[in-house]
Amino acid sequence: MKILGIETSCDETSTAIVENGTTVLSSTISSSIDWHKKYGGIVPEIATRHHVEVIAPILKESLAQSGLSLEEIDAIAVTQGPGLIGSLIIGIAFAKSLSLALKKPIIPVDHILAHIYSACMDNVGIKFPYLGLAASGGHSSIFIINDFDDFRLIGKTRDDALGESFDKVAKMLNLGFPGGPEIEKRAAKALNKKMLFNPPEIKNSYDLSYSGLKTAVLYYIKKQKQIEQQEIDSICFGFQEAAFQSLIKKLELAVLNFNTDSLAAGGGVTANSRLREMLKGLGIKLYLPALKYCSDNAAMVAGLAFRLYNKTGSGNIDFGPYSVFEEKWKP
Ligand code: KG4
Ligand code: ZN
């Protein structure tokens, strides 16, 4: 079964065609990130306009890459949420139009669960139940995944998402946007590998919190009269270690308390090689996406859609988007 996936939840417009949930026949991504850079964060209106402009050409390119015509597609999958409402609406309206015009089923997909599925696309051997981690610019969530349509959110950030905290710390240090890749590079070359900041911890919970750590970094920077380049590297190292250690602690607890021997992790932050190394240290089977599928992409949407379709069939076309503030599932 060949599914066309459409992803427009944030700043990436992406379409992909995936066969049977695993074989990516084409994957096309156009990001508006360069237009957001000067504002130091995502500007929803810019993202939405970009989706409108590029979604049709992106689809044409995906079809050309795969050598397929629209008629040869069996179903349409689209990110329903969470994300920026204006951006999601573009993808959903486009997907619904295709579904109606082509008389093909439509499958709405959750963006966070799709990130976790991206770790399983090449790894069909993963066994339920497994731990799922989504670590991105908008989310830091830990799940128990019992099946593709049966999952439980056990912990999430109570304030900033992990990637968001990287972006905010990078902004304080004038390292540009998005901050994750630059902080990773700086941390790797730090000569002073000291734990400058305490890893944040919420007791008796799998929940996370990064706003206190971000503030600790801000006060540390304010205390310095002048910041040399080497000091920036040390701050990046100290921040990154504290942020990841706090996440690892919660995952260790989950491994201990839940009957699972596997973790599937996805989202932009899972591109970080230090995080990948620390996740390996958990000592359970680790499933990670290829680097090109860590950030937002439609292949993960089409992949998960196949699994959902196999289990429950096509949904009703009468659905709308949901934002980060109205996640449809709660712990
Ligand atoms: O998954 P994603 O592309 O978009 C969302 O769904 O949010 O994640 C983007 C986030 C940004 O906050 C970015 O700074 C972070 O992922 N990120 C990283 C790295 N690469 C991207 N964070 C840490 N280390 C990286 N190498
Ligand atoms: Zn994402």
Side-chain angles (χ1 to χ4, degrees):
M1 181 178 193
K2 298 180 194 73
I3 298 188
L4 166 68
I6 297 170
E7 156 64 40
T8 62
S9 67
C10 192
D11 57 320
E12 270 95 18
T13 318
S14 177
T15 58
I17 299 164
V18 177
E19 188 161 20
N20 298 335
T22 54
T23 310
V24 181
L25 302 177
S26 73
S27 168
T28 313
I29 302 174
S30 168
S31 177
S32 56
I33 193 83
D34 287 341
W35 285 274
H36 302 279
K37 278 185 174 157
K38 71 171 173 180
Y39 303 100
I42 301 295
V43 182
E45 180 63 17
I46 294 178
T48 306
R49 281 170 190 249
H50 180 78
H51 293 313
V52 174
E53 277 166 27
V54 304
I55 195 158
I58 286 287
L59 170 61
K60 266 192 193 153
E61 180 161 348
S62 274
L63 290 168
Q65 257 183 34
S66 67
L68 296 168
S69 68
L70 267 181
E71 287 67 31
E72 289 172 282
I73 301 294
D74 300 303
I76 318 287
V78 64
T79 300
Q80 184 184 6
L84 303 170
I85 290 296
S87 292
L88 290 165
I89 285 172
I90 307 303
I92 292 173
F94 194 69
K96 285 186 178 180
S97 312
L98 285 171
S99 163
L100 289 170
L102 299 166
K103 299 189 173 55
K104 307 278 174 164
I106 187 163
I107 309 152
V109 172
D110 182 275
H111 182 78
I112 304 177
L113 297 171
H115 268 308
I116 293 171
Y117 182 78
S118 69
C120 312
M121 282 192 48
D122 297 336
N123 300 295
V124 273
I126 190 165
K127 299 262 187 314
F128 297 114
Y130 53 85
L131 274 176
L133 167 69
S136 70
H139 293 88
S140 322
S141 305
I142 304 171
F143 295 85
I144 299 296
I145 311 275
N146 294 311
D147 204 335
F148 295 113
D149 63 343
D150 176 9
F151 48 86
R152 184 152 78 88
L153 178 65
I154 59 166
K156 64 177 191 169
T157 181
R158 292 193 183 170
D159 37 62
D160 293 345
L162 185 52
E164 185 182 1
S165 71
F166 272 76
D167 295 335
K168 288 180 174 170
V169 167
K171 198 170 180 180
M172 294 172 201
L173 294 166
N174 290 319
L175 297 179
F177 175 79
E182 194 55 29
I183 289 190
E184 176 180 2
K185 267 189 233 146
R186 293 292 200 129
K189 63 184 177 120
L191 299 174
N192 173 8
K193 293 196 174 348
K194 255 204 226 149
M195 285 300 295
L196 294 177
F197 311 103
N198 292 325
E201 189 185 358
I202 295 176
K203 296 245 185 308
N204 303 320
S205 169
Y206 296 98
D207 279 355
L208 302 153
S209 166
Y210 290 107
S211 74
L213 174 61
K214 171 196 70 188
T215 309
V217 176
L218 180 67
Y219 286 157
Y220 184 89
I221 296 170
K222 279 191 171 166
K223 265 201 275 169
Q224 316 295 314
K225 286 196 188 77
Q226 204 191 332
I227 298 201
E228 306 290 341
Q229 288 304 314
Q230 277 190 11
E231 182 67 19
I232 295 184
D233 297 347
S234 310
I235 295 172
C236 289
F237 176 85
F239 160 73
Q240 181 175 274
E241 283 303 297
F244 288 163
Q245 278 188 20
S246 111
L247 172 64
I248 294 293
K249 216 165 174 182
K250 295 304 173 196
L251 292 171
E252 279 170 351
L253 192 65
V255 170
L256 210 67
N257 290 343
F258 291 92
N259 179 26
T260 169
D261 66 351
S262 307
L263 166 70
V269 188
T270 60
N272 186 295
S273 50
R274 176 65 184 138
L275 178 60
R276 288 180 166 232
E277 187 183 312
M278 290 170 88
L279 291 174
K280 270 189 208 132
L282 286 169
I284 58 173
K285 286 182 212 147
L286 178 61
Y287 297 88
L288 291 165
L291 287 182
K292 64 179 170 185
Y293 296 128
C294 286
S295 45
D296 292 347
N297 67 86
M300 65 185 191
V301 175
L304 178 56
F306 172 76
R307 306 291 172 188
L308 297 173
Y309 188 78
N310 268 355
K311 285 218 72 180
T312 52
S314 172
N316 193 319
I317 198 165
D318 185 18
F319 65 89
Y322 51 89
S323 79
V324 276
F325 305 110
E326 0 163 18
E327 286 163 19
K328 58 177 181 176
W329 24 257
K330 297 277 178 211

PDB file of all heavy atoms in Angstrom, residues 98-110:
ATOM      1  N   LEU A  98      -7.309  16.448  -1.856  1.00  0.00           N
ATOM      2  CA  LEU A  98      -6.792  15.306  -2.622  1.00  0.00           C
ATOM      3  C   LEU A  98      -7.651  14.069  -2.369  1.00  0.00           C
ATOM      4  O   LEU A  98      -7.995  13.329  -3.301  1.00  0.00           O
ATOM      5  CB  LEU A  98      -5.343  15.001  -2.205  1.00  0.00           C
ATOM      6  CG  LEU A  98      -4.267  15.954  -2.714  1.00  0.00           C
ATOM      7  CD1 LEU A  98      -2.927  15.646  -2.050  1.00  0.00           C
ATOM      8  CD2 LEU A  98      -4.115  15.845  -4.234  1.00  0.00           C
ATOM      9  N   SER A  99      -7.993  13.854  -1.103  1.00  0.00           N
ATOM     10  CA  SER A  99      -8.779  12.680  -0.744  1.00  0.00           C
ATOM     11  C   SER A  99     -10.137  12.688  -1.458  1.00  0.00           C
ATOM     12  O   SER A  99     -10.577  11.668  -2.001  1.00  0.00           O
ATOM     13  CB  SER A  99      -8.950  12.657   0.783  1.00  0.00           C
ATOM     14  OG  SER A  99      -9.980  11.805   1.160  1.00  0.00           O
ATOM     15  N   LEU A 100     -10.776  13.844  -1.474  1.00  0.00           N
ATOM     16  CA  LEU A 100     -12.099  13.939  -2.108  1.00  0.00           C
ATOM     17  C   LEU A 100     -11.997  13.818  -3.629  1.00  0.00           C
ATOM     18  O   LEU A 100     -12.765  13.099  -4.266  1.00  0.00           O
ATOM     19  CB  LEU A 100     -12.765  15.271  -1.737  1.00  0.00           C
ATOM     20  CG  LEU A 100     -13.221  15.390  -0.279  1.00  0.00           C
ATOM     21  CD1 LEU A 100     -13.640  16.817   0.042  1.00  0.00           C
ATOM     22  CD2 LEU A 100     -14.369  14.424   0.012  1.00  0.00           C
ATOM     23  N   ALA A 101     -10.992  14.514  -4.209  1.00  0.00           N
ATOM     24  CA  ALA A 101     -10.863  14.511  -5.672  1.00  0.00           C
ATOM     25  C   ALA A 101     -10.472  13.123  -6.179  1.00  0.00           C
ATOM     26  O   ALA A 101     -10.956  12.671  -7.222  1.00  0.00           O
ATOM     27  CB  ALA A 101      -9.824  15.544  -6.100  1.00  0.00           C
ATOM     28  N   LEU A 102      -9.609  12.448  -5.445  1.00  0.00           N
ATOM     29  CA  LEU A 102      -9.105  11.142  -5.901  1.00  0.00           C
ATOM     30  C   LEU A 102      -9.937   9.967  -5.381  1.00  0.00           C
ATOM     31  O   LEU A 102      -9.705   8.825  -5.746  1.00  0.00           O
ATOM     32  CB  LEU A 102      -7.650  10.947  -5.442  1.00  0.00           C
ATOM     33  CG  LEU A 102      -6.630  11.967  -5.955  1.00  0.00           C
ATOM     34  CD1 LEU A 102      -5.333  11.865  -5.164  1.00  0.00           C
ATOM     35  CD2 LEU A 102      -6.364  11.747  -7.444  1.00  0.00           C
ATOM     36  N   LYS A 103     -10.856  10.286  -4.462  1.00  0.00           N
ATOM     37  CA  LYS A 103     -11.679   9.246  -3.796  1.00  0.00           C
ATOM     38  C   LYS A 103     -10.792   8.210  -3.108  1.00  0.00           C
ATOM     39  O   LYS A 103     -10.951   6.993  -3.277  1.00  0.00           O
ATOM     40  CB  LYS A 103     -12.635   8.579  -4.794  1.00  0.00           C
ATOM     41  CG  LYS A 103     -13.611   9.541  -5.422  1.00  0.00           C
ATOM     42  CD  LYS A 103     -14.678   8.808  -6.221  1.00  0.00           C
ATOM     43  CE  LYS A 103     -15.767   9.718  -6.717  1.00  0.00           C
ATOM     44  NZ  LYS A 103     -15.324  10.849  -7.510  1.00  0.00           N
ATOM     45  N   LYS A 104      -9.830   8.728  -2.350  1.00  0.00           N
ATOM     46  CA  LYS A 104      -8.920   7.853  -1.592  1.00  0.00           C
ATOM     47  C   LYS A 104      -9.114   8.117  -0.108  1.00  0.00           C
ATOM     48  O   LYS A 104      -9.426   9.264   0.284  1.00  0.00           O
ATOM     49  CB  LYS A 104      -7.452   8.148  -1.941  1.00  0.00           C
ATOM     50  CG  LYS A 104      -7.122   8.107  -3.413  1.00  0.00           C
ATOM     51  CD  LYS A 104      -6.877   6.703  -3.906  1.00  0.00           C
ATOM     52  CE  LYS A 104      -6.711   6.728  -5.410  1.00  0.00           C
ATOM     53  NZ  LYS A 104      -6.160   5.637  -6.049  1.00  0.00           N
ATOM     54  N   PRO A 105      -8.903   7.093   0.730  1.00  0.00           N
ATOM     55  CA  PRO A 105      -9.062   7.314   2.172  1.00  0.00           C
ATOM     56  C   PRO A 105      -8.090   8.346   2.720  1.00  0.00           C
ATOM     57  O   PRO A 105      -6.991   8.517   2.164  1.00  0.00           O
ATOM     58  CB  PRO A 105      -8.776   5.941   2.787  1.00  0.00           C
ATOM     59  CG  PRO A 105      -8.365   5.045   1.700  1.00  0.00           C
ATOM     60  CD  PRO A 105      -8.541   5.721   0.390  1.00  0.00           C
ATOM     61  N   ILE A 106      -8.494   8.993   3.816  1.00  0.00           N
ATOM     62  CA  ILE A 106      -7.619   9.971   4.470  1.00  0.00           C
ATOM     63  C   ILE A 106      -7.354   9.505   5.906  1.00  0.00           C
ATOM     64  O   ILE A 106      -8.247   8.986   6.571  1.00  0.00           O
ATOM     65  CB  ILE A 106      -8.239  11.386   4.430  1.00  0.00           C
ATOM     66  CG1 ILE A 106      -7.234  12.424   4.951  1.00  0.00           C
ATOM     67  CG2 ILE A 106      -9.543  11.484   5.211  1.00  0.00           C
ATOM     68  CD1 ILE A 106      -7.585  13.860   4.567  1.00  0.00           C
ATOM     69  N   ILE A 107      -6.093   9.668   6.340  1.00  0.00           N
ATOM     70  CA  ILE A 107      -5.704   9.177   7.673  1.00  0.00           C
ATOM     71  C   ILE A 107      -5.023  10.316   8.441  1.00  0.00           C
ATOM     72  O   ILE A 107      -3.908  10.713   8.093  1.00  0.00           O
ATOM     73  CB  ILE A 107      -4.719   7.974   7.550  1.00  0.00           C
ATOM     74  CG1 ILE A 107      -5.279   6.924   6.595  1.00  0.00           C
ATOM     75  CG2 ILE A 107      -4.396   7.383   8.920  1.00  0.00           C
ATOM     76  CD1 ILE A 107      -4.224   6.099   5.900  1.00  0.00           C
ATOM     77  N   PRO A 108      -5.691  10.862   9.470  1.00  0.00           N
ATOM     78  CA  PRO A 108      -5.036  11.889  10.287  1.00  0.00           C
ATOM     79  C   PRO A 108      -4.019  11.254  11.228  1.00  0.00           C
ATOM     80  O   PRO A 108      -4.254  10.176  11.771  1.00  0.00           O
ATOM     81  CB  PRO A 108      -6.193  12.514  11.073  1.00  0.00           C
ATOM     82  CG  PRO A 108      -7.294  11.515  11.055  1.00  0.00           C
ATOM     83  CD  PRO A 108      -7.078  10.586   9.905  1.00  0.00           C
ATOM     84  N   VAL A 109      -2.881  11.930  11.417  1.00  0.00           N
ATOM     85  CA  VAL A 109      -1.784  11.350  12.198  1.00  0.00           C
ATOM     86  C   VAL A 109      -1.302  12.357  13.231  1.00  0.00           C
ATOM     87  O   VAL A 109      -1.214  13.554  12.958  1.00  0.00           O
ATOM     88  CB  VAL A 109      -0.617  10.948  11.247  1.00  0.00           C
ATOM     89  CG1 VAL A 109       0.618  10.531  12.023  1.00  0.00           C
ATOM     90  CG2 VAL A 109      -1.059   9.823  10.308  1.00  0.00           C
ATOM     91  N   ASP A 110      -0.979  11.863  14.427  1.00  0.00           N
ATOM     92  CA  ASP A 110      -0.419  12.719  15.473  1.00  0.00           C
ATOM     93  C   ASP A 110       1.085  12.922  15.223  1.00  0.00           C
ATOM     94  O   ASP A 110       1.826  11.966  15.015  1.00  0.00           O
ATOM     95  CB  ASP A 110      -0.632  12.065  16.844  1.00  0.00           C
ATOM     96  CG  ASP A 110      -0.117  12.939  17.963  1.00  0.00           C
ATOM     97  OD1 ASP A 110       1.085  12.874  18.276  1.00  0.00           O
ATOM     98  OD2 ASP A 110      -0.917  13.711  18.499  1.00  0.00           O
TER      99      ASP A 110
END
